[in-house]
Amino acid sequence: MTWAEFLPLFFLAVMGLSLLAYVILDGYDLGVGLLLLRASDAEKDTMIASIGPFWDANETWLVLGVGVLLIAFPMAHGLVLQALYLPVAVMLIGLILRGVAFDFRAKAPLKYKPFWNRAFFAGSLMASASQGWMLGSYITGFASGPLGWAFSLGIAVTLPAAYVLLGSGWLIMKTEGDLQQKAVRWARLVLWPMAAALLAISAATPLVKEGVLEKWFGVPQVFALLPVPLMCALAFFAMRWVLTRPNLVNAGYGWLVFANTVLIFVLAFFGLAYSIFPDIVIGRMTVWEAAISTASLNVIFFGVAITLPVIIGYTVFMYRVFWGKATALKYG
């Protein structure tokens, strides 16, 4: 492989890593936002405190991923943004609403606090559902027929449910007492519906994307890929094992819920990447066709080589500093 062939793959990997990191890291705080209205006032403060040091920085990964798409693959960026203009706008409005509500719920007069709690929930729902719709539309190649719309709607419902499971796992790790037990119950409620939805989407994907069936079930690749669904199944039952045994959560094994949800996200991401590669816009453009000139990619390469380790470094540092059980949110 030549350097000119490698560079587009490198930037595709950086973009994929960024979007995966965003879905996992911002996914759990979106999940916490979706659960906010099910808690008491004191528990709401603790829930917000559990994501307070992290949620702004988590969105950095979205900026990086979209930035790489814009700079390294501008033609693909144009096609994607044109097709997804409305859900992108809804997502941005939701993220802005979350940011405003996060501060105003603590600083506005007490009588307005329930309104800003609802606004934080609404922003979380708008962002997560629109992301699901965008993912579904992308997988179908932005098809506008009934099957494409139904598939996008299915993921628009499934992704918030997956975020709720991720957020519940986060709260199990970060909280104690009644709130932790509530998080266990929330995770149990969403576990089976999410699993059923993921299975349905996995079964439907070959119908909306030609060639996927052969990629996964042709011989000999079916044997090499068999560990992927097996690991997903094991992760699911590991979560169920912990969630149905309170003594395991009390013994400190609640983190397995969050860890196994992350594992399912990672496996789903790599499964999707394998299904659509080498396309960057499915059915329209490969990664090499979408990339800008090698000379331009060489310049961008050095910028990314500096920026990416810095983002990874401060993310790791931030989580190390603020790790531990959450307490009620306080403003100085």
Side-chain angles (χ1 to χ4, degrees), residues 65-91:
V66 175
V68 170
L69 177 64
L70 171 62
I71 297 172
F73 308 104
M75 290 184 290
H77 178 273
L79 284 174
V80 171
L81 188 62
Q82 182 181 13
L84 299 177
Y85 188 86
L86 183 58
V88 167
V90 173
M91 180 187 72

Side-chain angles (χ1 to χ4, degrees), residues 5-320:
E5 293 171 329
F6 167 77
L7 272 177
L9 293 179
F10 169 78
F11 284 103
L12 181 67
V14 171
M15 185 178 69
L17 171 66
S18 302
L19 295 178
L20 176 62
Y22 170 77
V23 166
I24 292 173
L25 297 180
D26 206 40
Y28 75 73
D29 66 58
L30 285 168
V32 170
L34 291 170
L35 290 166
L36 193 67
L37 300 186
R38 301 180 66 89
S40 67
D41 284 342
E43 290 169 343
K44 287 182 176 69
D45 289 339
T46 303
M47 291 167 70
I48 293 295
S50 75
I51 63 175
F54 311 110
W55 76 282
D56 251 349
N58 292 341
E59 294 175 359
T60 304
W61 291 101
L62 178 62
V63 176
L64 178 62
V66 175
V68 170
L69 177 64
L70 171 62
I71 297 172
F73 308 104
M75 290 184 290
H77 178 273
L79 284 174
V80 171
L81 188 62
Q82 182 181 13
L84 299 177
Y85 188 86
L86 183 58
V88 167
V90 173
M91 180 187 72
L92 293 177
I93 292 170
L95 293 177
I96 293 169
L97 185 58
R98 275 166 49 88
V100 173
F102 184 91
D103 284 330
F104 273 68
R105 68 177 300 279
K107 297 181 179 179
L110 192 61
K111 64 180 180 179
Y112 296 117
K113 189 174 181 180
F115 169 80
W116 291 113
N117 285 333
R118 289 191 293 271
F120 193 81
F121 165 81
S124 301
L125 182 60
M126 291 170 65
S128 56
S130 59
Q131 288 171 17
W133 183 274
M134 286 188 284
L135 177 59
S137 297
Y138 176 77
I139 294 174
T140 62
F142 310 117
S144 57
L147 183 60
W149 287 82
F151 188 83
S152 299
L153 181 61
I155 299 188
V157 173
T158 301
L159 190 61
Y163 283 165
V164 166
L165 183 58
L166 198 60
S168 298
W170 175 258
L171 292 174
I172 292 170
M173 287 196 305
K174 295 287 288 181
T175 63
E176 298 175 312
D178 291 341
L179 180 54
Q180 185 185 57
Q181 295 306 312
K182 281 187 177 181
V184 170
R185 293 196 295 271
W186 294 334
R188 282 204 304 261
L189 285 173
V190 79
L191 186 63
W192 282 108
M194 192 205 74
L198 287 177
L199 283 173
I201 290 171
S202 299
T205 300
L207 300 177
V208 298
K209 174 68 173 74
E210 293 182 6
V212 171
L213 194 64
E214 176 61 26
K215 268 192 168 185
W216 280 89
F217 296 102
V219 177
Q221 57 266 34
V222 65
F223 299 107
L225 296 169
L226 188 59
V228 175
L230 289 179
M231 289 176 66
C232 285
L234 288 173
F236 172 80
F237 285 108
M239 284 190 287
R240 184 178 180 278
W241 180 268
V242 174
L243 291 172
T244 54
R245 288 162 177 79
N247 58 309
L248 292 178
V249 176
N250 295 332
Y253 292 100
W255 62 270
L256 287 169
V257 178
F258 184 80
N260 281 285
T261 308
V262 169
L263 177 60
I264 291 174
F265 271 67
V266 171
L267 291 171
F269 171 82
F270 282 105
L272 176 62
Y274 171 76
S275 297
I276 67 176
F277 184 81
D279 288 354
I280 190 170
V281 180
I282 298 172
R284 302 189 189 185
M285 194 178 296
T286 68
V287 60
W288 294 284
E289 292 170 343
I292 57 175
S293 67
T294 302
S296 299
L297 289 178
N298 280 328
V299 175
I300 303 169
F301 176 82
F302 291 103
V304 172
I306 295 171
T307 304
L308 183 61
V310 171
I311 294 176
I312 293 173
Y314 82 66
T315 299
V316 173
F317 177 75
M318 174 185 62
Y319 277 87
R320 287 188 62 185

